[in-house]
Amino acid sequence: MNADGSSAADSYADDATIRRILQDTGDTWAVVGLSGNRSRAAFGVAEVLQRFGKRVVPVHPKAETVHGEQGYASLADIPFPVDVVDVFVNGELAGAVADEAVAAGAKAVWFQLGVVDREAFERTRAAGLDMVMDRCPAIELNSLG
């Protein structure tokens, strides 16, 4: 707990940054880990993102088309600009994906619930990108009203 009553996790997901990413950063979201597997969280979250007007770009080694969008094997393979990179990979791999997002010219990185990598957060913020960790954009979009 910090002196102001917030937890360390709060500093990785402040309301202003969440709102900025969801409303102002852009509508092209690369969802890393998104495949056609309907039982995975990424599938449902991508559906919500689309419902809120986001273009969802699946990024998965299988490069499957999901929710009507062409998939790509990696962020580097996407031939157009991506605004936000939403990361649905295991915590040990997430930092490398954040670095790839920076290299790809993304404006923001979003780590899903349960994914926290403080070093990746520092690197990504130092590169000038907004970043949120340990939050779900589908939950946050629904709470924006």
Side-chain angles (χ1 to χ4, degrees):
M1 195 66 78
N2 296 326
D4 66 359
S6 65
S7 70
D10 291 337
S11 65
Y12 299 125
D14 67 273
D15 289 340
T17 302
I18 289 169
R19 187 173 295 277
R20 188 168 49 250
I21 292 172
L22 293 175
Q23 295 180 329
D24 304 328
T25 298
D27 290 331
T28 302
W29 284 56
V31 181
V32 180
L34 175 58
S35 70
N37 184 341
R38 293 175 177 274
S39 68
R40 305 284 304 187
F43 192 89
V45 170
E47 220 166 29
V48 172
L49 288 168
Q50 280 188 323
R51 200 165 55 245
F52 278 88
K54 309 298 182 191
R55 178 183 184 189
V56 171
V57 181
V59 179
H60 189 279
K62 293 180 183 175
E64 299 174 89
T65 295
V66 183
H67 297 307
E69 289 285 349
Q70 166 65 49
Y72 296 90
S74 72
L75 288 172
D77 291 340
I78 300 173
F80 49 83
V82 168
D83 300 309
V84 181
V85 175
D86 190 4
V87 183
F88 278 93
V89 299
N90 126 359
E92 293 88 53
L93 304 175
V97 175
D99 295 338
E100 291 169 24
V102 170
K107 299 173 189 168
V109 175
W110 193 297
F111 281 7
Q112 283 296 319
L113 290 171
V115 180
V116 174
D117 181 329
R118 288 174 173 80
E119 291 80 19
F121 183 86
E122 296 303 326
R123 288 192 310 270
T124 302
R125 295 291 294 133
L129 282 70
D130 275 333
M131 186 166 179
V132 168
M133 297 193 297
D134 195 26
R135 291 287 183 95
C136 176
I139 294 169
E140 300 300 333
L141 278 165
N142 282 315
S143 70
L144 283 177

